[in-house]
Amino acid sequence: MGKEEELLKHWRELEPEKQQQVLEFVELLKSESETTPPQSDFVPKTPLAQKLWEIRQRAIAAGLRLLNEEDIELELAARRGGWSDS
């Protein structure tokens, strides 16, 4: 039995509420794969860069969302009591 057939077999045995949970979980997995950046060819050259790169990779693997430039500016403004667009 193939994986798809096995999945369908289990799917049909689930109650509608559980089927909805499965759908939500699949959507979550799909969105994670769409937002996960591709593997980089970057190679750190100094010991500090290697250590920082390893920390970054562990954070990504743990599901931590990395901030972009705009997110960083908003966080800094919030921490320093600055302005916001809201």
Side-chain angles (χ1 to χ4, degrees):
M1 177 182 308
K3 290 181 181 182
E4 287 181 39
E5 293 169 341
E6 186 176 358
L7 181 62
L8 283 173
K9 176 183 171 273
H10 291 301
W11 169 267
R12 291 180 180 124
E13 296 171 355
L14 292 174
E15 297 174 5
E17 297 83 22
K18 296 290 185 180
Q19 289 178 347
Q20 182 61 37
Q21 289 179 346
V22 171
L23 287 174
E24 291 170 3
F25 180 69
V26 169
E27 287 297 321
L28 175 68
L29 290 176
K30 185 178 175 206
S31 69
E32 286 177 355
S33 67
E34 291 170 352
T35 58
T36 303
Q39 290 295 326
S40 172
D41 293 334
F42 175 74
V43 178
K45 294 182 173 61
T46 66
L48 176 59
Q50 291 171 350
K51 185 173 183 175
L52 292 172
W53 186 255
E54 289 170 7
I55 292 169
R56 180 184 191 275
Q57 297 305 93
R58 286 197 311 266
I60 292 171
L64 185 68
R65 186 179 73 83
L66 301 179
L67 303 178
N68 61 27
E69 187 175 349
E70 182 181 349
D71 294 333
I72 293 169
E73 289 176 6
L74 289 172
E75 183 174 318
L76 284 173
R79 287 179 183 225
R80 294 178 179 168
W83 64 274
S84 66
D85 290 334
S86 55

